[in-house]
């Protein structure tokens, strides 16, 4: 926990400055920047881009093959398919000349007692040239569960093309992006071009099931497989909208609380006992109602202490990002957003401000219909999304203190307990001016003739923190898919445009990383991963 | 609904007066009342009581036989057993000379689509002598579900005797009491005594499953089977404690509310959307928190308007009732009761004051573990126990008005809806000085050498309202079992004392009803049953 606090201190200054500079910079460079003109595209990339266009159908075929493997990590009965997917990817990598190792990472015990070997993690390396940077690429080969009868319009494991979109489980999460990297590398080889970087892959197949086993494996490989990595790239998130590319340099963290109120030794019938006892549910409802005001502001004193104040020009930076409030509102189907008039405020409250959500209550009557029970013990579940420079420790401390203080005033004879569900996850931001981000920015510019928006996201990705901690290097989040891809939903898809142009971005990014001449320093941020 | 209001008006005066007189009366007559001396027991009852003692083992055997029939009305697969239980009871009644009719009441459709015939209702009559009163006895033959593996110490359908207690499903609810009546009647016949009353039975076998079909049947029989009934007795509730008998002359009613708050069209991920939307759960929690204060008082304006004020001497009446606060507290296992020092207040708030309970929330995350969901639609469930002279109409009106007014001030863009889950059930009280109650009081005195406490209960029994409405006659609740019988729990039992002495009370009650000379007027209260 000490590490976590230290890291936040060191982030404190850099983070807000970085945000500010990132957006200002992206504004300064308008889309008419000369570097974006097709004639300025470096020749190797001209050829590679052409080749990618030519290979389009072959790339779609490869994705069809990958989607056809039902690599659902959550289903014990699909474990053989998950392993087949790993083997399939290993073979592809070997064909590209990679040294491939399938690392065993132990067993998994399911709730019913079934024990199965975890699918192996792929470690793959290509190129060991000291004069080149070494790029570590992370991706995953497993997918979310899917059944046609869940409401898919087509077989989720049979890639189907419709109006320029490719539908299938894993198309965008994360088989499409993984194949994008392989195809980008393949192009260099097909064109007999020297690969601009040394490449390492970490490809796991348990991402959709909590990345079980990855943490221990990577921590043990700090000074082995991960040793000479200079920069890390993950392509496993999404654009902010449907049209404009972006790069992601920040994620919120999480503190998830359990708040228990307990009365007697058994549930009571409200007819017989109602009126004679202090009901735990009323106490819990009251406590939960102390958490936010009617506008959604968090009422916990001290919660905002570590959150930097908005600078006078910060709103403009968010205003510059391409994002439609109307589309966003329509997508989730609410009458009115929390900040109905302000794109900037909406984005800020998704990325740079903490948010508190009450998820539910365990132990109360939650079925349809009516039941006249007085529940004896109820557990409220709520969480706070953390932002720079909050730390899980500090958030835990102020929340616990506040709830305990409020509880004192309630003077209930019931007992109350509050605790974190897991260790908290700190927020993550990185330097959006790191050479890796600059390379990606240029790469996007080459392909889309516009620079990407520099954005953050509201949720966390454990791998980001894990890879930053274990490599101590900058992590770039380079999304391939669009916001409407429906990664975990029915009818998951990737647009052909995103798949093909995204492959070009990857190839161009490799090229631009090859242009980096300065040494890449250790990432300043040292974050704890939970 | 107009009926319901009218009835309450007419109850208004009588109810509080009745409570007061009932308890005062029970206090005046001390347990040394001469009428309670054994030598004052009428001779027919002396003989009958002796016979009951002699027959003890045979009565236990009969109960063993009845408990052995697995008449679980909730389980489709047990329907044949339920019907077997009805047939078994019909045979017993015929053996006593009853005219028995098994009335078909239609079909039942289960959730899975299964359609089964409802078990028939027994209508049985013995004696048609115009010079005698006609007593209608209600009981039920079905039982709650039970499996040994639910935590029973013995097979729930094999009556087992231990330390003077008879364990088995249905032992106290309601097979023991039903057999009590049959054995009491049998004694009169065995002693060649003329039965003091005409008797009608209504025995149903769907009581534990909402008495499906009974309502329509009885309403249609108002002027047929139920026509000449003079008084009604139900033995299907329990003593207030373990030692002292009681008679029950009041029940609270119920208004059960559903309170919905709805946001967008889908559940949202709190990482991605938290901070950008008004969360329905926060709105609902706030609304629910407006319902009661920290002491459990209902905050709805007008809710107490129809509840009579406590009279200056009312507390004494409750103080006179045998009831141990300590036993009560220990039984439910709470640290402290709502009124830790006051037996009277505890009983009043179970019987003569309304109480509001929040039962649960549907639609939120209610499983164990952590889920970062922002539920799109949540439905709070709460109910208010109604007391004289509240009406469901009026309670519904003031609650809806209050919630709507509060909601206005919340200024949330989410939508809110509040409605009654079912029609409300009005509270019920009857005249505890009705000749039927006096007869029961004397009968209890004969058997237990103490007069019963006159009590109310906190929950409602639909049959009470239904029988009062359909017969327009006084309904007596004459409990046989004790407060710790665990009617719906594991290890349901009836004490042999309660079973045998309770049978004597029934026999003595029949005798005392035979002594009533005045005509029995229509019950003043006209209540609506839902």
């Amino acid at each position: 926990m000490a590490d976590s606090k230290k890291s936040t201190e060191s982030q404190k200054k850099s983070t807000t400055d970085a945000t500010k500079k990132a957006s200002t910079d992206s504004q300064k460079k308008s889309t008419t920047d000369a570097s974006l003109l097709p004639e300025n595209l470096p020749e190797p990339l001209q050829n590679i881009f052409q080749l990618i266009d030519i290979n389009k159908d072959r790339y779609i075929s490869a994705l069809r093959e990958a989607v056809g493997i039902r690599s659902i990590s959550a289903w014990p009965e699909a474990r053989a398919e998950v392993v087949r997917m790993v083997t399939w990817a290993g073979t592809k990598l070997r064909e590209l000349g990679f040294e491939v190792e399938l690392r065993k990472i132990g067993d998994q015990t399911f709730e019913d007692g079934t024990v199965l070997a975890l699918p192996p993690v792929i470690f793959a390396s290509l190129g060991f040239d000291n004069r080149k940077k070494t790029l570590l690429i992370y991706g995953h080969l497993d997918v979310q569960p899917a059944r046609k009868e869940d409401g898919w319009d087509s077989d989720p494991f049979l890639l189907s093309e419709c109006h320029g979109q490719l539908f299938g489980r894993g198309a965008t999460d994360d088989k499409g992006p993984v194949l994008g990297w392989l195809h980008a590398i393949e192009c260099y080889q097909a064109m007999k071009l020297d690969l601009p970087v040394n490449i390492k892959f970490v490809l796991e197949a348990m991402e959709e099931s909590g990345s079980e086993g990855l943490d221990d494996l990577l921590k043990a490989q700090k000074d082995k497989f991960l040793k000479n990595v200079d920069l890390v790239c993950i392509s496993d998130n999404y654009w902010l909208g449907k049209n404009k590319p972006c790069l992601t340099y920040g994620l919120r963290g999480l503190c998830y609380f359990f708040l228990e109120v307990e009365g007697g030794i058994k549930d009571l019938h409200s007819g017989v006992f109602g009126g004679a006892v202090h009901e735990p549910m009323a106490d819990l409802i009251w406590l939960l109602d102390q958490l936010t005001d009617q506008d959604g502001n968090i009422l916990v004193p001290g919660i905002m202490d570590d959150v930097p104040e908005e600078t006078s020009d910060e709103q403009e930076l968010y205003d510059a990002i391409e994002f439609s409030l109307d589309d966003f509102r329509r997508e989730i189907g609410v009458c009115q957003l929390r900040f109905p008039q302000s794109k900037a405020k909406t984005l800020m409250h998704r990325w740079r401000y903490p948010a508190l959500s009450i998820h539910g209550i365990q132990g109360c009557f939650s079925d349809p219909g009516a039941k006249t029970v007085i529940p004896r013990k109820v557990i409220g579940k709520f969480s706070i999304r953390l932002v720079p420079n909050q730390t899980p420790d500090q958030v835990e401390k102020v929340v616990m203190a506040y709830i305990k203080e409020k509880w004192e005033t309630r003077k209930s004879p019931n007992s109350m307990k509050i605790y974190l569900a897991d260790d908290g996850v700190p927020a993550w931001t990185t330097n959006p001016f790191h050479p890796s981000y600059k390379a990606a920015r240029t790469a996007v510019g080459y392909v889309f003739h516009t620079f990407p928006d520099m954005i953050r996201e509201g949720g966390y990705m454990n791998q980001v923190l894990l890879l930053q901690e274990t490599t101590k290097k900058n992590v770039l989040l380079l999304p391939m898919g669009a916001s409407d891809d429906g990664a975990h939903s029915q009818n998951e898809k990737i647009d052909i445009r995103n798949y093909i142009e995204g492959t070009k971005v990857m190839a161009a990014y490799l090229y631009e990383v090859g242009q980096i001449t300065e040494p890449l320093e250790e990432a300043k941020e040292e974050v704890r991963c939970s």
Side-chain angles (χ1 to χ4, degrees), chain A:
Chain A
M1 285 290 186
D3 277 351
S4 157
K5 275 181 185 157
K6 207 165 53 185
S7 73
T8 311
E9 279 312 303
S10 73
Q11 283 190 343
K12 196 158 189 168
K13 270 191 64 187
S14 64
T15 305
T16 21
D17 293 356
T19 314
K20 202 167 144 187
K21 280 166 67 187
S23 303
T24 317
D25 195 50
S26 85
Q27 277 195 290
K28 270 184 210 155
K29 304 229 180 188
S30 79
T31 51
T32 55
D33 191 305
S35 66
L36 300 183
L37 296 175
E39 57 265 33
N40 290 325
L41 188 64
E43 201 188 320
L45 290 181
Q46 290 185 22
N47 298 331
I48 286 175
F49 287 9
Q50 274 179 15
L51 186 60
I52 289 173
D53 283 329
I54 292 167
N55 279 332
K56 188 180 97 171
D57 289 345
R58 201 164 61 76
Y59 296 163
I60 293 176
S61 293
L63 185 56
R64 179 167 294 116
E65 207 178 317
V67 164
I69 302 174
R70 298 161 189 253
S71 54
I72 300 166
S73 53
W75 291 356
E77 65 272 24
R79 185 55 49 92
E81 282 285 277
V82 181
V83 174
R84 186 157 78 91
M85 184 67 209
V86 174
T87 312
W88 184 89
T91 304
K92 288 264 173 200
L93 285 162
R94 280 196 192 94
E95 286 167 7
L96 292 172
F98 276 84
E99 283 180 16
V100 177
E101 211 183 337
L102 302 192
R103 301 293 301 233
K104 289 191 180 154
I105 50 170
D107 290 336
Q108 179 187 17
T109 308
F110 288 82
E111 270 182 20
D112 66 356
T114 314
V115 176
L116 288 177
L118 287 162
V121 172
I122 293 180
F123 280 178
S125 307
L126 180 63
F128 300 90
D129 187 337
N130 282 337
R131 292 160 304 175
K132 295 180 188 172
K133 306 293 185 208
T134 297
L135 169 67
L136 174 70
I137 298 168
Y138 164 92
H140 66 91
L141 302 165
D142 61 320
V143 296
Q144 281 278 319
R147 287 188 193 87
K148 174 87 162 71
E149 55 268 32
D150 292 343
W152 284 71
D153 295 329
S154 56
D155 181 340
F157 297 101
L158 188 60
L159 193 78
S160 67
E161 187 179 333
C162 182
H163 299 302
Q165 301 184 315
L166 302 168
F167 292 89
R169 178 55 92 217
T172 193
D173 182 19
D174 184 36
K175 292 178 177 179
V178 167
L179 284 176
W181 288 115
L182 301 188
H183 296 145
I185 294 162
E186 187 194 57
C187 284
Y188 279 92
Q189 297 177 342
M191 307 294 299
K192 313 267 186 230
L193 292 167
D194 187 34
L195 207 60
V197 289
N198 304 317
I199 297 180
K200 284 176 188 271
F201 272 103
V202 169
L203 298 178
E204 67 158 325
M206 283 297 288
E207 199 271 348
E208 303 294 3
S209 300
S211 293
E212 197 168 337
L214 189 69
D215 205 88
D216 291 344
L217 176 70
L218 293 193
K219 283 177 180 169
Q221 292 290 325
K222 268 188 192 179
D223 300 318
K224 297 174 190 167
F225 183 74
L226 302 176
K227 191 173 185 195
N228 295 315
V229 166
D230 294 297
L231 63 182
V232 179
C233 185
I234 300 177
S235 185
D236 187 24
N237 65 321
Y238 305 92
W239 291 357
L240 181 60
K242 300 177 201 171
N243 302 313
K244 195 175 177 195
C246 61
L247 302 179
T248 310
Y249 67 94
L251 301 169
R252 290 195 294 192
L254 184 72
C255 279
Y256 198 109
F257 292 92
F258 282 15
L259 176 55
E260 294 186 8
V261 181
E262 186 169 357
I265 51 174
K266 53 188 172 190
D267 284 357
L268 300 175
H269 187 286
S270 70
V272 183
F273 299 97
V277 295
H278 287 276
E279 305 193 3
M281 189 68 176
D283 284 343
L284 177 63
I285 292 283
W286 178 80
L287 275 174
L288 291 173
D289 191 43
Q290 306 307 309
L291 294 170
T292 50
D293 68 13
Q294 72 188 90
D295 299 318
N297 300 307
I298 304 174
L299 295 173
V300 178
I303 195 78
M304 299 300 284
D305 285 359
D306 296 324
V307 180
E309 282 192 20
E310 247 174 79
T311 56
S312 57
D313 53 355
E314 198 173 337
Q315 178 150 338
E316 294 167 32
L317 310 181
Y318 286 87
D319 278 334
I321 294 170
E322 190 170 308
F323 174 74
S324 158
L325 268 185
D326 253 13
D327 286 353
F328 180 69
R329 190 188 57 72
R330 261 197 299 270
E331 187 198 330
I332 57 181
V334 297
C335 279
Q336 189 186 294
L337 292 167
R338 188 169 163 216
F339 304 99
Q341 309 304 332
S342 172
K343 177 171 84 172
K345 283 223 172 300
T346 296
L347 292 178
M348 282 187 208
H349 282 269
R350 291 175 70 190
W351 303 342
R352 70 93 77 209
Y353 283 118
L356 189 150
S357 298
I358 302 171
H359 308 294
I361 298 176
Q362 178 186 342
C364 68
F365 173 60
S366 56
D367 293 331
K371 185 179 173 185
T372 52
V373 66
I374 301 174
R376 74 164 201 93
K377 180 180 176 181
V378 282
I379 309 173
K381 319 270 179 96
F382 69 94
S383 70
I384 297 178
R385 293 284 160 179
L386 271 53
V387 296
N389 300 310
Q390 295 180 309
T391 64
D393 273 4
Q394 185 62 14
V395 168
E396 181 184 6
K397 199 178 118 190
V398 295
V399 169
M400 309 269 270
Y402 175 66
I403 289 293
K404 281 172 185 167
E405 184 203 313
K406 283 285 169 188
W407 182 247
E408 284 298 312
T409 71
R410 179 76 174 174
K411 303 206 183 306
S412 166
N414 294 319
S415 64
M416 187 281 291
K417 209 159 78 177
I418 178 165
Y419 51 96
L420 270 185
D422 293 296
D423 291 341
V425 179
W428 169 83
T429 53
T430 191
N431 170 16
F433 295 100
H434 186 278
S436 179
Y437 275 78
K438 286 184 180 163
R441 186 172 172 280
T442 305
V444 168
Y446 286 152
V447 177
F448 290 96
H449 311 297
T450 181
F451 286 117
D453 278 330
M454 302 302 290
I455 72 157
R456 300 199 213 170
E457 283 194 3
Y460 67 92
M461 297 167 68
N462 252 328
Q463 306 88 324
V464 175
L465 300 170
L466 178 62
L467 289 167
Q468 181 166 309
E469 188 198 14
T470 50
T471 64
K472 306 274 185 247
K473 295 296 156 63
N474 177 277
V475 177
L476 164 72
L477 299 188
L478 177 65
M480 177 185 257
S483 66
D484 62 343
D485 280 1
H488 290 196
S489 299
Q490 296 89 336
N491 299 325
E492 175 182 345
K493 61 88 181 166
I494 191 165
D495 292 2
I496 294 177
R497 173 196 182 216
N498 286 59
Y499 183 45
I500 299 303
E501 303 306 302
T503 301
K504 291 179 189 168
V505 169
M506 286 165 170
Y509 171 70
L510 297 179
Y511 179 87
E512 286 298 316
V513 171
Q515 306 298 309
I516 299 172
T517 49
E518 71 257 48
L520 296 177
E521 288 178 13
E522 292 217 341
K524 275 183 196 152
E525 307 79 1
E526 181 184 302
V527 289
R528 185 183 60 80
C529 36
S530 63

